[in-house]
């Protein structure tokens, strides 16, 4: 799939006349350079690393001169018949195809990326990216297990504890849904689960889907890039703060962590589920959204993306006063590898 995606990207850029140095591309009346300049730079970098492009000092040369957009889409349509039969790939295929078919209109400003990814304000294309496939479910389950282990430990220490949880950027509820179910045995001890996001649409979705069954759930608009005082979010209040694939989409990760930390009680726990490598799929989908390129602290990020490596997360969390930093998913993976070795 990635090979065809790369070639579709190349063919689209060629058809739009974008195989040029950034200075020349910015002169194009068709291309929205202000919005997609960094996206294009990363696209050219990716295609060059895959040896599809060669830079001659002035322009990028297409080394696959035979690449034809129409024939590539025919190949895609044939291959996707098999991909769509795999529940782990179906949502990815549908989302990336929608973005690539609309790519010329997105890059030239004729269509908004948000309207493609969230058609008619629907979550249908994205909600199964965050749940319902093996990779997302694995990492969500590791997060759920970590939260449940914390709750059990707290209740073992104090059976009357009332635990408050804040989820930042809860979005479609891909992490929330399974976690609320996992916490059901302890719901008498959950004082509050604060489901936050920037979008009222996501908050309405949460109220409709979870509000009746989980009365301790409340929803609030919260921008983690801004100080919490002006947003009605209590300081030194929450025992747990959860953020799944959201903190990277901010301008300054240090400021973001300080705002998240301000909501935590002393000895509170921050639980992150974050990508630690970049990939072409995200670049061709979420990379088309403005939020992907908000970051201003490039030294902390993996080049050409907002993603932080595991090492970078460790450094910045430590510098911002977090301690006892662990990587539960890595521990689970290593344990599984040991188990297989013993079988």
């Amino acid at each position: 799939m990635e090979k065809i995606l790369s070639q579709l990207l190349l063919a689209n850029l060629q058809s739009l006349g974008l195989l040029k140095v950034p200075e020349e591309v910015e002169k194009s009346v068709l291309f929205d350079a202000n919005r997609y300049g960094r996206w294009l730079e990363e696209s050219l970098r990716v295609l060059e690393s895959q040896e599809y492009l060669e830079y001659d000092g002035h322009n990028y040369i297409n080394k696959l001169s035979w690449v034809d957009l129409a024939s590539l889409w025919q190949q895609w349509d044939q291959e996707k018949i098999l991909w769509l039969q795999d529940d782990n790939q179906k949502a990815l295929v549908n989302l990336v195809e929608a973005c690539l078919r609309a790519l010329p209109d997105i890059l030239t400003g004729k269509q908004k990326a948000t309207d493609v990814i969230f058609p008619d304000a629907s979550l249908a294309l994205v909600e199964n990216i965050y749940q319902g496939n093996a990779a997302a479910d694995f990492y969500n389950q590791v997060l759920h297990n970590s939260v449940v282990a914390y709750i059990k430990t707290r209740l073992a220490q104090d059976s009357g504890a009332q635990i408050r949880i804040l989820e930042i950027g809860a979005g479609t509820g891909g992490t929330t849904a399974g976690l609320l179910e996992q916490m059901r045995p302890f719901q008498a001890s959950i004082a509050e689960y604060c489901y936050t996001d920037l979008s009222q649409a996501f908050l309405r979705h949460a109220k409709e889907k979870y509000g009746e069954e989980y009365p301790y759930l409340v929803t609030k608009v919260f921008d983690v890039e801004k100080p919490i005082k002006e947003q009605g979010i209590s300081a030194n209040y929450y025992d747990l703060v959860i953020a799944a694939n959201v903190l990277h989409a901010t301008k300054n990760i240090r400021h973001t962590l300080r705002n998240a930390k301000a909501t935590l009680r002393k000895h509170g726990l921050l639980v992150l589920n974050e990508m630690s490598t970049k990939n072409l799929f995200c670049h061709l989908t979420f990379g088309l959204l403005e939020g992907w390129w908000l970051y201003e602290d490039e030294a902390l990020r993996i080049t050409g993306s907002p993603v932080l490596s595991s090492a970078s997360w460790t450094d910045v969390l430590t510098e911002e006063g977090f301690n006892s930093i662990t990587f539960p998913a890595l521990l689970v993976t290593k344990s599984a590898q040991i188990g297989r070795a013993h079988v």
Side-chain angles (χ1 to χ4, degrees), residues 10-308:
L10 175 61
N12 270 292
L13 296 185
Q14 181 173 267
S15 70
L16 292 169
L18 296 179
L19 300 182
K20 302 175 182 178
V21 292
E23 294 78 11
E24 291 298 316
V25 168
E26 287 179 6
K27 298 176 184 177
S28 171
V29 294
L30 296 175
F31 179 63
D32 189 347
N34 289 333
R35 181 167 292 185
Y36 294 110
R38 292 170 84 181
W39 179 90
L40 179 59
E41 286 183 26
E42 174 61 11
S43 297
L44 296 172
R45 186 185 298 119
V46 168
L47 294 173
E48 189 176 15
S49 71
Q50 294 175 341
E51 300 186 350
Y52 289 161
L53 290 180
E54 183 176 11
Y55 183 57
D56 68 358
H58 298 284
N59 289 306
Y60 288 90
I61 309 302
N62 181 359
K63 297 172 72 175
L64 301 180
S65 55
W66 52 267
V67 169
D68 172 72
L69 197 53
S71 62
L72 282 170
W73 278 122
Q74 288 179 352
Q75 184 182 353
W76 174 272
D77 288 338
Q78 292 170 357
E79 297 281 1
K80 80 172 184 179
I81 294 171
L82 182 61
W83 298 333
L84 291 175
Q85 296 175 28
D86 184 344
D87 289 340
N88 292 318
Q89 296 194 67
K90 186 175 181 179
L92 305 179
V93 171
N94 288 333
L95 178 59
V96 77
E97 178 178 343
C99 291
L100 273 173
R101 289 197 183 276
L103 188 61
D105 285 344
I106 292 173
L107 296 182
T108 54
K110 295 176 183 177
Q111 190 170 16
K112 294 181 180 179
T114 48
D115 291 340
V116 175
I117 295 174
F118 306 102
D120 299 319
S122 167
L123 307 179
L125 276 179
V126 298
E127 59 185 350
N128 288 328
I129 300 295
Y130 300 111
Q131 60 183 337
N133 64 78
D137 289 349
F138 169 78
Y139 290 107
N140 278 330
Q141 189 59 59
V142 172
L143 185 148
H144 299 164
N145 292 345
S146 299
V147 171
V148 169
Y150 170 87
I151 293 172
K152 287 181 177 179
T153 301
R154 275 292 304 279
L155 295 179
Q157 296 168 345
D158 177 6
S159 60
Q162 289 291 291
I163 298 170
R164 296 181 177 89
I165 302 171
L166 171 71
E167 184 175 358
I168 300 171
T172 64
T175 297
T176 318
L179 181 55
L180 291 175
E181 182 61 32
Q182 294 279 325
M183 296 193 306
R184 192 183 292 274
F186 314 101
Q187 62 184 13
S189 301
I190 308 299
E192 179 183 323
Y193 190 103
C194 188
Y195 185 111
T196 74
D197 202 275
L198 289 172
S199 169
Q200 285 285 0
F202 289 142
L203 302 186
R204 287 194 296 270
H205 169 76
K207 288 178 183 177
E208 292 169 3
K209 192 164 185 178
Y210 312 117
E212 186 175 339
E213 191 170 2
Y214 302 99
Y216 54 77
L217 185 136
V218 299
T219 61
K220 290 184 180 180
V221 173
F222 178 44
D223 184 348
V224 72
E225 292 196 81
K226 297 177 180 178
I228 66 172
K229 186 176 181 180
E230 61 192 52
Q231 302 184 74
I233 301 292
S234 300
N236 188 30
Y237 186 73
Y238 292 97
D239 302 280
L240 281 166
V241 169
I242 297 167
N245 288 311
V246 63
L247 296 193
H248 66 268
T250 57
K251 292 180 182 179
N252 186 301
I253 204 68
R254 295 186 190 281
H255 292 169
T256 295
L257 286 172
R258 289 168 196 169
N259 292 333
K261 185 181 177 185
T263 70
L264 280 168
R265 296 175 58 193
K266 188 175 182 180
H267 304 306
L269 188 67
L270 173 65
V271 185
L272 299 180
N273 186 353
E274 280 280 353
M275 297 176 290
S276 56
T277 59
K278 65 180 180 180
N279 62 69
L280 184 60
F281 168 80
C282 285
H283 178 68
L284 295 177
T285 54
F286 303 116
L288 295 170
L289 299 173
E290 289 185 69
W292 191 259
W293 304 100
L294 284 174
Y295 63 95
E296 298 172 350
D297 48 357
E298 295 191 24
L300 294 174
R301 318 293 180 124
I302 295 174
T303 302
S305 83
V307 176
L308 283 75

